[in-house]
Amino acid sequence: MRKITIAIDGYSSTGKSTVAKQLADYLGYVYVDSGAMYRAVTLFAMQNDIISKNHFNTKKLIESLDSINLKFKKEAVWNKAHIFLNEKDVEHEIRSLKVSEFVSPIASIREVRVKLVAQQQQMGLEKGVVMDGRDIGTVVFPKAELKIFMNASAKERAQRRYKELLERGEKIDYNDVLKNIQERDHIDTTRKDSPLLKAEDAIKIDNSEMNLEDQFHTVLQLAKDRIAGRI
Ligand code: DC
């Protein structure tokens, strides 16, 4: 069966990674969480005095890019590949609200995007890949055979994210989560370089009212049709 490239873009916490992972597992494709790469660079910046609440040293970030090594590795006991920052597994650490607070400014730096996009394109060379992010259908794989653009209301997304963070044991306030989602939406959609944008040929899915199963079956049907060349 022919292999295709599947790009899933959309707003924060729309469940892109859940459906992308389900789809990759079902089709036997590689799943790449491109947001994890921006989060890992953000963690590096936080650990190296590049970004904090009151300062952001973009020059130091750009100069440090060559010393940031990102890799995805998978072990049988893990449900998905983990991201490694300079050989250290940071999969858990990068999901904190602190990292979420700084990730959008980091992701708006052109040099960061150039480095990560090149690595993402490399990972998709053989097709058979499902990648989720913000610019996958527009910049990383503009020729992807299937492009999905996901959205849900900000309140619904904040509710989902809040639940996730509580389950991780973070002590947080729902309003802070909602504020973070709204701020990230704003920065992600208005940044100069590769703003979050629906590709013209992407299929829009609003999952505010959908459960995970409905969402998966909708996307899977689209993928099967594309693989078979029906649409
Ligand atoms: O998908 P996520 O919430 O883990 O992504 C974290 C941030 O990374 C998001 O606020 C914007 C940025 N990002 C990006 O700019 N481009 C991508 N392809 C993926 C994520």
Side-chain angles (χ1 to χ4, degrees):
M1 217 189 306
R2 77 170 183 140
K3 287 196 168 184
I4 63 168
T5 301
I6 303 176
I8 303 189
D9 288 303
Y11 288 84
S12 307
S13 305
T14 41
K16 299 182 298 290
S17 52
T18 307
V19 76
K21 166 86 176 49
Q22 285 174 320
L23 200 57
D25 285 350
Y26 186 94
L27 298 171
Y29 282 18
V30 173
Y31 164 56
V32 181
D33 173 358
S34 70
M37 300 170 76
Y38 290 92
R39 286 175 177 273
V41 173
T42 305
L43 183 66
F44 176 92
M46 288 161 64
Q47 291 170 338
N48 289 276
D49 197 28
I50 290 171
I51 197 164
S52 68
K53 230 176 171 56
N54 306 312
H55 93 293
F56 181 13
N57 188 339
T58 48
K59 185 166 176 276
K60 187 170 172 194
L61 174 65
I62 294 165
E63 284 167 2
S64 308
L65 284 177
D66 282 345
S67 58
I68 301 178
N69 179 271
L70 302 178
K71 261 189 224 137
F72 285 98
K73 294 186 196 173
K74 189 157 187 201
E75 284 190 18
V77 288
W78 300 336
N79 161 49
K80 63 177 273 223
H82 287 192
I83 188 154
F84 283 67
L85 166 63
N86 294 336
E87 305 304 326
K88 183 174 176 253
D89 184 348
V90 292
E91 182 64 31
H92 186 74
E93 244 176 302
I94 59 162
R95 310 282 165 196
S96 70
L97 188 56
K98 258 256 102 26
V99 170
S100 300
E101 277 168 13
F102 295 123
V103 67
S104 285
I106 296 282
S108 58
I109 302 301
R110 197 181 66 85
E111 288 81 355
V112 171
R113 304 202 70 83
V114 168
K115 175 183 166 96
L116 299 194
V117 167
Q119 195 174 344
Q120 290 153 6
Q121 287 173 333
Q122 199 64 29
M123 289 189 271
L125 279 182
E126 317 245 301
K127 299 214 171 195
V129 66
V130 186
M131 193 174 292
D132 76 317
R134 303 295 187 288
D135 60 343
I136 311 304
T138 50
V139 176
V140 181
F141 301 128
K143 295 198 174 133
E145 287 85 352
L146 175 60
K147 299 180 186 177
I148 309 273
F149 190 85
M150 291 184 48
N151 199 4
S153 72
K155 282 190 179 157
E156 177 62 37
R157 291 185 281 133
Q159 202 52 259
R160 293 175 190 163
R161 186 85 184 112
Y162 176 62
K163 199 167 150 250
E164 224 176 87
L165 289 166
L166 280 187
E167 281 165 7
R168 281 170 49 101
E170 283 206 38
K171 289 196 179 64
I172 31 124
D173 188 81
Y174 166 78
N175 289 316
D176 289 339
V177 179
L178 178 61
K179 196 166 146 249
N180 172 256
I181 287 210
Q182 288 166 333
E183 277 170 8
R184 281 206 283 153
D185 284 358
H186 177 72
I187 303 178
D188 294 347
T189 50
T190 56
R191 69 174 175 229
K192 256 206 299 222
D193 199 337
S194 319
L196 168 63
L197 197 72
K198 179 188 156 308
E200 256 177 42
D201 50 349
I203 296 164
K204 228 183 195 165
I205 295 181
D206 186 314
N207 65 11
S208 305
E209 311 269 316
M210 266 186 190
N211 64 31
L212 287 182
E213 211 179 315
D214 294 341
Q215 171 178 288
F216 173 59
H217 285 292
T218 305
V219 177
L220 179 61
Q221 193 53 51
L222 291 168
K224 284 181 171 170
D225 288 342
R226 291 294 154 100
I227 291 167
R230 281 195 288 269
I231 49 170

